[in-house]
Amino acid sequence: MKLKTLMMSVAFGALLSACGGPLPEETESTEPVLGTTDQALCEGWDSGARYCTWRCTSSQTTHYFAGYGDVPYGNCREHADRQCGRSAYSVCWSKL
């Protein structure tokens, strides 16, 4: 009987997940990130990164950085766009 209860619980949990229920390990990030080739550079604000890092174009090989703590959380995209003079191609937080 206990095995049947366990199997029903597992099946019910799988059904909830399949119907759009959030899985515990899923997180939602609002910070934009650089392309996949640049992911080693982008650690993210939650990991202690405080340099706003950006590239203005996809063909640009140089990354630009704002000084440590010079850009407040939530303003990295705005800062990068202002520096590029248009919408930056990619933006993220890095530890440098």
Side-chain angles (χ1 to χ4, degrees):
M1 185 66 171
K2 290 183 182 184
L3 180 60
K4 185 176 179 182
T5 304
L6 175 65
M7 295 304 291
M8 291 298 289
S9 297
V10 170
F12 184 68
L15 179 63
L16 285 179
S17 295
C19 293
L23 296 175
E25 64 272 11
E26 289 182 12
T27 60
E28 187 174 316
S29 174
T30 58
E31 287 300 311
V33 295
L34 293 174
T36 55
T37 58
D38 302 312
Q39 288 302 314
L41 182 67
C42 299
E43 292 92 352
W45 183 273
D46 292 338
S47 297
R50 296 297 184 266
Y51 288 94
C52 179
T53 306
W54 70 90
R55 290 188 333 181
C56 293
T57 66
S58 61
S59 61
Q60 178 182 358
T61 57
T62 304
H63 292 93
Y64 296 102
F65 305 92
Y68 190 87
D70 289 346
V71 178
Y73 178 76
N75 292 350
C76 188
R77 167 63 68 182
E78 179 184 329
H79 179 80
D81 290 348
R82 190 171 46 253
Q83 295 299 315
C84 291
R86 61 183 182 80
S87 183
Y89 170 72
S90 57
V91 179
C92 73
W93 292 101
S94 67
K95 291 182 181 176
L96 192 57

